[in-house]
C-alpha cells in the first residue's frame, strides 16, 4: 500500500515537472510575439519580415516532431526531454544577441529544433510513468499547460520587456529551462519505466510502416494543420494586433492577452473529459467546434470595441481547445505504447507545420492591406472551415482496421504507476 502511494505521488510530481516544462516552453516561444514591436523598431524590420521571423521557429519545430518522436521511442523520454529543454534554453538566451535578420532567423530556427523534440518526448513520458487507464487524463491535464503557458507569458515577460528591453529579457527567461532540467532529473532519478513490459518501448520497422499506412493518422494530421493555422496565427500576432489595431500599450496588451489563455486552460480541461466520454462521436463535436471557431474569428473583423474583440478571441480559444484535446489524446487512446511518441510526433508535425505558413502569410496580408488585420483574420477563418471539412472524413476512431490498438487493458500486464 505504501509502495502504491509512493508511486502515485511520484507520478504526480513527474506530471507537474512535465507541465512546468510545457509552460516554460510557451513562455520562451511567446515572448517573441510580445517583443515583436520592439524588435521591429530596433532592427528596422517591416511586418512581412517579422512574419518570417515568427515562422522560422516553426520550421525547426515542425521538422523535429517526427525525429523527436523516434528518438523518444528509441532512447527513452528522459534523455530526450533533458536534451530538448537545455537546447531551447540556450537558444532562447542567444535570441537576445541577434545582430541581423539573418542571425535572428538562424537562432529562432535552432530554437525550434530544441523545442521540437519535447512534445513527443513528454507524451512518451506519460506512457512511461503512468498506468494505461490514467494516461488519457494525464495527457489532457499536461496539455492544458499550452493555454496556461500562453496566458502566463504576458504576465511574466511584459514587465521584463518594459524594464530590461527585449534583448536582456530573452537572456533572463532562458534560465527557467535550467531549473526545469534539474527538477526533472531529480524526481525521475529512481523512477521505474515500464518494468513489467521491457520491450514495449522498442518499435520495429514493421510497426513504423504500419504507422505510416494508417490513413486516420494522416487525416487527423491534416485536420490539425488547418486548425493550427488559426491557433498559431492568432497567438503570434495578437499582441501586435492589440497594440496597432486597438491602440493600447504593451503593458495593457500583455495583461489583456492573458484572458483568452485562461479561457483556453478551462477549455482544455473540460474538452478532454467530454471527448473521452463521448468516444467515437468525438469527431462530430470537433467539427461543430471548428465551425464555431471560424465564426468567432470572422466576427472579429466586424467588432467595434475592445470588449467585443476579447470576447470573440476567448470564444475562439475555447472552441479551439476541443481540437487540441482530440489530437493530443489520440495516441494514448488508439496507439500501441511502443509508438506513442512517434505517432504523436507525426500528428504534431501537421499542427506545427501550420506555424511555418501562418505568421508569414498573415504578415504579408497585413503589409499588403496597409496595416489592416481584416484580411488576415479572414485567412484564419478559412483555415478553420477547411479543418471542419477534413474532420468529417475521419472514420469512427473505434474501427480497428484503421488503428494500431493494444490488446484490451485486462490482457495487458500491470504497469507501474
Amino acid at each position: 500500500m505504501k509502495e502504491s502511494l509512493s508511486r502515485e505521488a511520484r507520478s504526480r510530481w513527474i506530471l507537474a515537472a512535465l507541465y512546468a516544462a510545457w509552460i516554460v516552453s510557451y513562455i520562451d516561444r511567446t515572448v517573441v510575439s510580445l517583443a515583436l514591436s520592439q524588435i521591429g523598431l530596433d532592427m528596422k524590420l517591416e511586418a512581412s519580415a517579422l512574419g518570417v521571423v515568427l515562422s522560422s521557429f516553426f520550421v525547426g519545430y515542425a521538422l523535429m516532431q517526427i525525429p523527436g518522436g523516434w528518438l523518444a521511442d528509441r532512447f527513452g523520454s528522459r534523455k530526450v526531454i533533458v536534451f530538448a529543454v537545455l537546447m531551447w534554453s540556450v537558444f532562447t538566451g542567444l535570441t537576445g544577441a541577434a545582430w541581423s535578420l539573418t542571425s535572428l532567423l538562424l537562432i529562432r530556427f535552432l530554437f525550434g529544433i530544441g523545442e521540437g523534440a519535447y512534445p513527443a518526448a513528454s507524451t512518451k513520458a506519460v506512457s512511461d510513468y503512468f498506468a494505461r487507464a490514467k494516461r488519457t487524463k494525464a495527457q489532457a491535464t499536461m496539455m492544458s499547460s499550452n493555454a496556461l503557458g500562453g496566458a502566463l507569458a504576458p504576465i511574466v515577460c511584459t514587465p521584463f520587456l518594459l524594464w530590461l528591453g527585449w534583448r536582456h529579457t530573452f537572456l533572463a527567461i532562458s534560465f527557467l529551462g535550467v531549473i526545469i532540467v534539474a527538477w526533472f532529473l531529480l524526481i525521475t532519478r529512481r523512477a521505474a519505466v515500464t518494468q513489467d513490459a521491457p520491450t514495449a518501448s522498442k518499435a520495429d520497422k514493421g510497426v513504423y510502416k504500419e504507422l505510416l499506412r494508417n490513413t486516420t493518422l494522416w487525416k487527423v494530421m491534416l485536420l490539425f494543420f488547418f486548425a493550427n493555422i488559426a491557433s498559431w496565427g492568432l497567438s503570434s500576432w495578437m499582441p501586435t494586433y492589440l497594440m496597432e489595431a486597438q491602440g493600447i500599450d504593451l503593458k495593457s496588451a500583455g495583461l489583456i492577452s492573458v484572458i483568452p489563455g485562461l479561457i483556453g486552460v478551462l477549455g482544455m480541461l473540460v474538452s478532454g473529459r467530454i471527448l473521452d466520454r463521448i468516444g467515437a462521436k468525438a469527431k462530430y463535436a470537433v467539427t461543430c467546434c471548428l465551425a464555431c471557431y471560424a465564426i468567432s474569428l470572422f466576427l472579429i473583423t466586424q467588432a467595434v470595441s475592445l470588449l467585443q474583440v476579447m470576447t470573440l478571441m476567448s470564444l475562439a480559444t475555447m472552441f479551439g481547445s476541443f481540437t487540441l484535446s482530440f489530437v493530443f489524446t489520440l495516441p494514448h487512446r488508439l496507439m500501441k505504447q511502443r509508438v506513442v511518441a512517434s505517432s504523436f510526433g507525426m500528428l504534431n508535425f501537421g499542427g506545427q507545420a501550420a506555424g511555418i505558413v501562418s505568421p508569414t502569410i498573415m504578415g504579408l496580408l497585413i503589409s499588403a492591406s496597409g496595416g489592416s488585420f481584416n484580411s488576415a483574420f479572414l485567412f484564419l477563418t478559412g483555415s478553420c472551415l477547411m479543418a471542419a471539412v477534413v474532420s468529417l472524413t475521419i472514420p469512427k476512431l473505434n474501427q480497428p482496421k484503421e488503428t494500431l490498438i493494444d490488446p484490451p487493458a485486462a490482457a495487458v500486464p500491470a504497469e507501474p504507476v
Side-chain angles (χ1 to χ4, degrees), residues 56-250:
S56 62
F57 159 79
F58 290 102
V59 175
Y61 192 65
L63 289 176
M64 195 60 185
Q65 292 304 308
I66 294 175
W70 180 84
L71 288 170
D73 281 329
R74 179 66 179 84
F75 298 105
S77 61
R78 192 171 186 260
K79 293 179 181 178
V80 178
I81 286 172
V82 170
F83 169 80
V85 179
L86 286 178
M87 183 174 176
W88 93 53
S89 298
V90 169
F91 285 100
T92 295
L94 288 176
T95 300
W99 62 91
S100 65
L101 176 60
T102 301
S103 66
L104 187 58
L105 292 175
L106 178 60
I107 291 169
R108 297 304 292 178
F109 169 77
L110 294 173
F111 169 68
I113 291 286
E115 279 210 0
Y118 182 72
S122 64
T123 298
K124 181 68 173 179
V126 170
S127 178
D128 285 342
Y129 298 112
F130 282 82
R132 170 176 295 280
K134 298 182 180 180
R135 289 174 192 163
T136 298
K137 183 178 180 181
Q139 180 77 4
T141 300
M142 181 178 72
M143 300 313 293
S144 70
S145 60
N146 286 211
L148 183 59
L152 289 178
I155 297 175
V156 173
C157 298
T158 300
F160 281 99
L161 288 168
L162 293 172
W163 176 37
L164 299 174
W166 71 274
R167 292 186 181 276
H168 290 95
T169 295
F170 280 98
L171 178 62
I173 64 175
S174 67
F175 289 101
L176 293 173
V178 179
I179 297 172
I180 292 294
V181 166
W183 180 15
F184 183 73
L185 285 174
L186 178 64
I187 62 175
T188 57
R189 183 176 52 180
R190 297 179 181 176
V193 179
T194 57
Q195 288 182 338
D196 294 326
T199 62
S201 63
K202 296 182 180 179
D204 54 54
K205 294 181 180 179
V207 171
Y208 282 121
K209 289 180 180 179
E210 189 178 353
L211 190 69
L212 293 174
R213 289 197 298 265
N214 190 296
T215 58
T216 297
L217 280 182
W218 286 102
K219 290 177 181 178
V220 175
M221 185 177 73
L222 187 61
L223 178 155
F224 198 25
F225 171 77
F226 285 115
N228 248 24
I229 283 179
S231 296
W232 283 126
L234 194 62
S235 63
S236 296
W237 281 100
M238 186 169 72
T240 304
Y241 167 76
L242 292 174
M243 287 185 284
E244 296 184 3
Q246 296 297 320
I248 62 178
D249 58 28
L250 175 60

Side-chain angles (χ1 to χ4, degrees), residues 1-14 129 187 190-191 417:
M1 182 67 176
K2 290 183 179 179
E3 178 66 19
S4 176
L5 290 174
S6 174
R7 288 179 176 180
E8 290 181 4
R10 184 181 62 220
S11 67
R12 287 195 294 269
W13 278 109
I14 291 173
Y129 298 112
I187 62 175
R190 297 179 181 176
V417 175

